[in-house]
Amino acid sequence: MHQIASTFKKSMIAIAIIAAAPSSYGQEIEKISVTAQKRTQSITEIGVTTTAFSGDSLEELGVESAVDLGAHTPGLVAVNSTSGGTPIFAIRGIGLDDFSPNNTSGVGVYTDEVFASSPVYLSGQLFDIERVEVLKGPQGTLYGKNTTGGAINFITKKPSDDFEAYVEVDYSSFQTLEISGAVGGALTDSVNGRVAANYAKSKEGWQTDVETGEEFGLIDTFAVRGQLGFELGSSGNALLRVYANQDKSKPSSPSSEGIEDVFGDDSFAQLNSPDQGNKVKVGNLPVMRDESGSGLSLTIDYSFNFFDLVSISSWDQYDRNIVDNYDGSAVATMELIQDNQLQQWAQEVRFISTSSDDFSWVAGFNISNEEVDSVDIFDDSFFLTDSAFDGVLYPEDISAIGLDQFIADYIQITDSLGVYLHTETQLNDSWKLIAGIRYSHDERSFNGIATNLSFGEIFPVTELNETNTDDAITGKVGLDWKVNSDLLVFGNVATSYKSGVYYGAAILDAEAWSYVEPEDVTSAEIGYKWTLLDGSMQFNGALFGMQYENRQSLVTFVSGEFSDFSGFAVADTTLVNIPKSETKGFEMDVQWLPIDDLTVHAGVAYLDSKVTQAPDTKNLRGINADPGVNDMANEQGFGFVDALAAPLENGAVLSQAPEWSYNAMVAYDMPLDNELYLKFQTSYSWADSQFAQLADDNAKYGPVSSLDGLVSLSSDADNWTLSLWARNLLDKDAETYSFTGFAGRTVYHQKPTTVGITFKYEYF
């Protein structure tokens, strides 16, 4: 912690020296208003570490999905964990290891204040956006469960009285066409409307199968959103939002490597694929994605004499069918097939005080119901063919698809209740006390059966039918010190919790399915928000430490269920609780307008994370590896220790927790004649190597970096912009995610250089 504080202090001194240097500076930085504390406030006036992006900034940075935010936000990790695009988020090393549809990240994600209970709901939402807010650290008071790492708020553009419309056409590499547009304005004296849509389709894939020539990584998506705003007399308004989206893209494929290290020779070399992101081996697997979602929400905001009443009612549903080359091989060693149906509804009511500036409060409650109906299949039929075992098991030459499938078929239902109170007390002109408390109640039931379908015959693995209930009280206490009109220093202690979960993936061993206890986080943070150089620079930073109890972590263990039959020690995965772990570090970001037309933005995050009390590796929730199976595993080179596929010891680095990450952006606007402006922008991001799963060397990937660029010409008079852009200019081929496959290592790679041209026309 001393090293962290020393680096933090040196950075502060460097900025102070810059501030003291006499010079003339550019115009003042625009202050973004956010709703991080459930009311509209300037981002520089709240004691919450927050990174915010406007909709225009997202477009210029090339942020096309929620996952792209990670490259431009210090301390945020965002990756796709499957070819189907299941996003995983982590803030300050706290997030999610598992990609199953019934699990929820420790980073709460909201669209127009509607919580996404599963990562699948995030597909097709990031268009026609007003701003995005990333709140760092536990948000357990105002946001409730599943915000142990933080929260992300997507706020869409709302209808207004003024007529406005735009259309944006983008053509880029791999013959990709994307069209976005919106139109909105007053429909009557008291009703406003807005409709927005996004369509994207590519004719070429960015990956090619080296054996078949087939292309993968093709885009085919469509999304539409409609909103109606109503006046409720002179004291209130209502907003009805309806959306629908579909995704029929052809997923990209990972690569498989290291098979010879597992088996000791090259007899299974056919399972490997090229070590290049754009060269893959998929075989005859019909990879596909068929997803669709829809939903609606009604927000009512009504003012009374001493408080405002806000009611948010929502319903969402999502269906998806995915065939994914999850193993990265041309044969079925671990293909993934998913058939999921999800529904959720939620109701929140909150009251916001308006009677006093010296004491303000937000009080409310929410109830919700989430249902996941899922069939997940892992297909490893290759190991039952004569090509796999040279005729030892089955001498016939038979298809390697559908012969051997491990199936998870379940329904999970979750009912939740939360009641909260958040207060802000102005102690004097300089000091403000923040205090809040929340009670959360969650009841989660799981009813499912895991089976093995082999040659048309079903073999039961396990059945689970149970319900668990969790209760938690979380809170926050903090102080904001307004040193002067330009400097805010804040400190707080906060707690949050993530509700208990069931591991819902297809399994080989009956012990892999069971309930995992809730996780809890206690955080201490000191930060500042400093406006410098006549308002032309905004410099923010935070120093933090967090204690993590019962972290829900994915682990790989040795299964003896099939060793007698196959002669192999078989690896399986499950979720377990890690008794204690911790993270500590700092984040800093600076935005500077050194002259009127030049913008500089940079951020850095440092994170020191580790397990401080590892679980008993000999008895993980009752999972015990037979000693004979361990001997067999060691002979085969797996290196299994006790029940785990890799030792999990004190000091192990947490998953999704890179030690260092950086981002920077420089933009210059050059005024020309006839109200034309030429803009040059370049941005760079870099994230250190990290783990996708605890203590698994196969799950270590990165570093990942990208250099992007943009040149645009715009006309203020005619409201059009023409842009040329490029992403991953250096054509990096970094590993962006990895894990232990059925045999060897499965790796996802960075997309190669992509270039495009965009034309946008706006009508006001």
Side-chain angles (χ1 to χ4, degrees):
M1 195 72 177
H2 175 73
Q3 178 186 359
I4 299 172
S6 176
T7 306
F8 189 80
K9 182 179 179 181
K10 290 176 182 177
S11 301
M12 290 284 289
I13 293 173
I15 294 296
I17 293 173
I18 294 174
S23 182
S24 59
Y25 309 107
Q27 60 188 351
E28 290 189 18
I29 294 174
E30 181 182 359
K31 306 298 185 185
I32 298 178
S33 294
V34 297
T35 52
Q37 297 187 143
K38 300 292 187 179
R39 64 170 73 216
T40 302
Q41 297 168 297
S42 171
I43 193 172
T44 60
E45 299 295 324
I46 60 172
V48 179
T49 304
T50 306
T51 300
F53 301 89
S54 67
D56 290 340
S57 296
L58 295 174
E59 290 183 14
E60 292 169 352
L61 290 170
V63 176
E64 298 178 332
S65 68
V67 169
D68 296 333
L69 283 173
H72 307 286
T73 308
L76 170 66
V77 172
V79 296
N80 280 326
S81 60
T82 69
S83 308
T86 306
I88 284 180
F89 298 97
I91 296 177
R92 298 175 176 176
I94 298 178
L96 176 67
D97 295 349
D98 184 22
F99 64 85
S100 299
N102 68 313
N103 205 339
T104 305
S105 174
V107 176
V109 183
Y110 299 78
T111 301
D112 291 333
E113 300 193 81
V114 175
F115 176 62
S117 61
S118 172
V120 303
Y121 288 113
L122 304 178
S123 176
Q125 295 276 15
L126 199 57
F127 68 100
D128 199 40
I129 294 293
E130 178 183 316
R131 70 179 184 278
V132 176
E133 305 168 0
V134 181
L135 285 58
K136 302 171 186 177
Q139 306 294 323
T141 303
L142 286 169
Y143 289 87
K145 67 173 184 176
N146 303 335
T147 57
T148 46
I152 302 175
N153 293 328
F154 294 98
I155 294 94
T156 64
K157 291 183 179 178
K158 303 299 188 294
S160 66
D161 293 337
D162 299 324
F163 178 81
E164 58 179 345
Y166 75 87
V167 62
E168 182 175 283
V169 181
D170 181 285
Y171 187 79
S172 60
S173 301
F174 315 110
Q175 296 191 50
T176 303
L177 175 67
E178 182 173 2
I179 302 174
S180 301
V183 59
L187 302 178
T188 70
D189 290 341
S190 60
V191 179
N192 302 324
R194 186 179 184 90
V195 177
N198 175 268
Y199 167 81
K201 189 175 180 66
S202 57
K203 293 184 178 180
E204 295 179 355
W206 67 275
Q207 294 180 318
T208 303
D209 191 305
V210 294
E211 295 179 343
T212 68
E214 190 171 358
E215 296 179 346
F216 300 90
L218 286 86
I219 300 169
D220 186 358
T221 63
F222 175 74
V224 62
R225 181 191 305 119
Q227 299 182 83
L228 287 175
F230 304 87
E231 290 184 6
L232 302 178
S234 60
S235 300
N237 58 74
L239 179 69
L240 176 65
R241 177 176 65 96
V242 181
Y243 76 90
N245 59 268
Q246 69 174 25
D247 189 341
K248 294 183 178 292
S249 302
K250 190 174 184 179
S252 57
S253 175
S255 300
S256 178
E257 63 181 37
I259 305 300
E260 62 279 357
D261 296 332
V262 174
F263 294 99
D265 55 43
D266 60 359
S267 58
F268 289 89
Q270 61 181 330
L271 300 182
N272 284 327
S273 52
D275 188 22
Q276 297 172 262
N278 62 345
K279 304 295 183 182
V280 294
K281 283 186 178 181
V282 179
N284 63 350
L285 182 69
V287 299
M288 54 83 72
R289 189 185 307 172
D290 185 2
E291 306 183 34
S292 62
S294 60
L296 58 89
S297 64
L298 176 64
T299 301
I300 298 174
D301 190 336
Y302 201 88
S303 297
F304 294 90
N305 289 335
F306 303 109
F307 62 89
D308 291 340
L309 169 67
V310 178
S311 170
I312 304 171
S313 309
S314 64
W315 173 86
D316 302 89
Q317 69 85 30
Y318 202 87
D319 295 339
R320 70 172 183 172
N321 290 277
I322 294 175
V323 178
D324 188 354
N325 189 40
Y326 187 66
D327 54 14
S329 293
V331 295
T333 63
M334 197 165 59
E335 317 289 27
L336 175 61
I337 300 100
Q338 293 184 297
D339 182 4
N340 310 139
Q341 292 83 44
L342 296 90
Q343 289 189 68
Q344 65 173 28
W345 64 260
Q347 174 65 56
E348 179 174 3
V349 176
R350 66 173 176 263
F351 305 88
I352 304 171
S353 67
T354 58
S355 59
S356 172
D357 293 332
D358 293 334
F359 177 74
S360 63
W361 49 265
V362 179
F365 69 89
N366 67 276
I367 56 174
S368 64
N369 173 271
E370 307 154 10
E371 181 173 333
V372 180
D373 189 344
S374 177
V375 177
D376 283 10
I377 301 171
F378 279 131
D379 191 320
D380 65 348
S381 300
F382 169 76
F383 292 99
L384 295 188
T385 69
D386 62 343
S387 60
F389 291 103
D390 197 22
V392 173
L393 294 181
Y394 299 99
E396 310 90 24
D397 185 11
I398 48 183
S399 170
I401 301 294
L403 294 173
D404 193 43
Q405 297 182 342
F406 291 89
I407 304 170
D409 187 352
Y410 64 86
I411 295 177
Q412 177 178 282
I413 298 176
T414 305
D415 291 299
S416 300
L417 166 69
V419 182
Y420 60 89
L421 172 65
H422 171 87
T423 66
E424 299 180 24
T425 305
Q426 196 70 47
L427 302 177
N428 54 41
D429 291 341
S430 301
W431 291 90
K432 180 191 291 185
L433 172 67
I434 292 90
I437 190 170
R438 185 184 188 104
Y439 167 75
S440 300
H441 172 84
D442 297 286
E443 181 179 279
R444 178 163 289 178
S445 64
F446 186 96
N447 187 355
I449 183 169
T451 56
N452 170 219
L453 176 62
S454 186
F455 287 104
E457 187 174 354
I458 295 177
F459 300 93
V461 176
T462 191
E463 187 172 356
L464 184 63
N465 185 0
E466 66 176 45
T467 299
N468 276 275
T469 300
D470 303 320
D471 296 275
I473 295 178
T474 55
K476 177 179 180 178
V477 177
L479 281 173
D480 290 357
W481 177 28
K482 192 69 174 178
V483 181
N484 53 49
S485 60
D486 295 325
L487 177 60
L488 172 70
V489 177
F490 62 90
N492 60 68
V493 176
T495 61
S496 187
Y497 106 112
K498 181 175 182 289
S499 56
V501 299
Y502 291 91
Y503 183 61
I507 57 172
L508 288 74
D509 194 305
E511 298 289 352
W513 261 15
S514 71
Y515 184 71
V516 183
E517 296 295 326
E519 59 184 32
D520 300 280
V521 171
T522 300
S523 167
E525 178 178 16
I526 298 175
Y528 63 90
K529 297 184 178 182
W530 196 1
T531 304
L532 300 162
L533 310 181
D534 297 330
S536 67
M537 175 182 284
Q538 184 63 45
F539 181 49
N540 304 327
L543 184 70
F544 59 84
M546 293 185 286
Q547 298 295 322
Y548 208 171
E549 293 188 3
N550 284 330
R551 184 187 197 275
Q552 298 166 0
S553 300
L554 198 67
V555 297
T556 302
F557 68 97
V558 180
S559 171
E561 293 286 324
F562 300 95
S563 59
D564 294 338
F565 171 71
S566 67
F568 280 83
V570 180
D572 206 351
T573 56
T574 189
L575 282 171
V576 299
N577 289 116
I578 307 301
K580 291 184 179 180
S581 53
E582 67 177 25
T583 66
K584 53 189 177 183
F586 69 84
E587 297 157 355
M588 291 184 293
D589 68 86
V590 59
Q591 185 177 358
W592 187 22
L593 303 178
I595 57 178
D596 284 348
D597 300 314
L598 180 64
T599 301
V600 178
H601 195 176
V604 60
Y606 173 80
L607 189 62
D608 178 14
S609 70
K610 60 185 176 182
V611 173
T612 54
Q613 182 182 337
D616 181 2
T617 59
K618 296 182 179 180
N619 189 359
L620 291 170
R621 253 191 17 243
I623 300 172
N624 283 286
D626 182 86
V629 177
N630 275 321
D631 293 340
M632 185 189 307
N634 289 323
E635 291 175 3
Q636 295 165 10
F638 280 92
F640 294 147
V641 177
D642 295 315
L644 290 179
L648 178 54
E649 301 173 345
N650 292 348
V653 177
L654 300 185
S655 59
Q656 316 300 342
E659 185 176 21
W660 288 98
S661 57
Y662 313 95
N663 65 276
M665 185 274 289
V666 178
Y668 180 69
D669 289 282
M670 179 187 299
L672 304 176
D673 294 334
N674 301 319
E675 297 187 73
L676 294 176
Y677 290 85
L678 188 62
K679 181 171 188 171
F680 300 91
Q681 177 179 297
T682 183
S683 60
Y684 179 76
S685 62
W686 184 91
D688 218 336
S689 59
Q690 55 191 293
F691 289 86
Q693 184 176 315
L694 281 173
D696 183 356
D697 287 338
N698 285 335
K700 187 177 183 180
Y701 62 92
V704 182
S705 65
S706 182
L707 176 65
D708 305 334
L710 175 143
V711 179
S712 67
L713 179 67
S714 60
S715 169
D716 275 2
D718 298 322
N719 301 323
W720 57 261
T721 302
L722 180 66
S723 304
L724 297 174
W725 55 265
R727 292 164 197 151
N728 190 15
L729 272 166
L730 302 181
D731 202 26
K732 295 290 187 178
D733 187 32
E735 298 176 350
T736 59
Y737 194 78
S738 66
F739 55 89
T740 297
F742 193 98
R745 181 171 180 259
T746 304
V747 183
Y748 291 86
H749 285 269
Q750 190 173 3
K751 193 173 182 179
T753 299
T754 306
V755 297
I757 182 169
T758 303
F759 178 78
K760 183 176 183 179
Y761 176 75
E762 298 177 89
Y763 183 84
F764 300 99

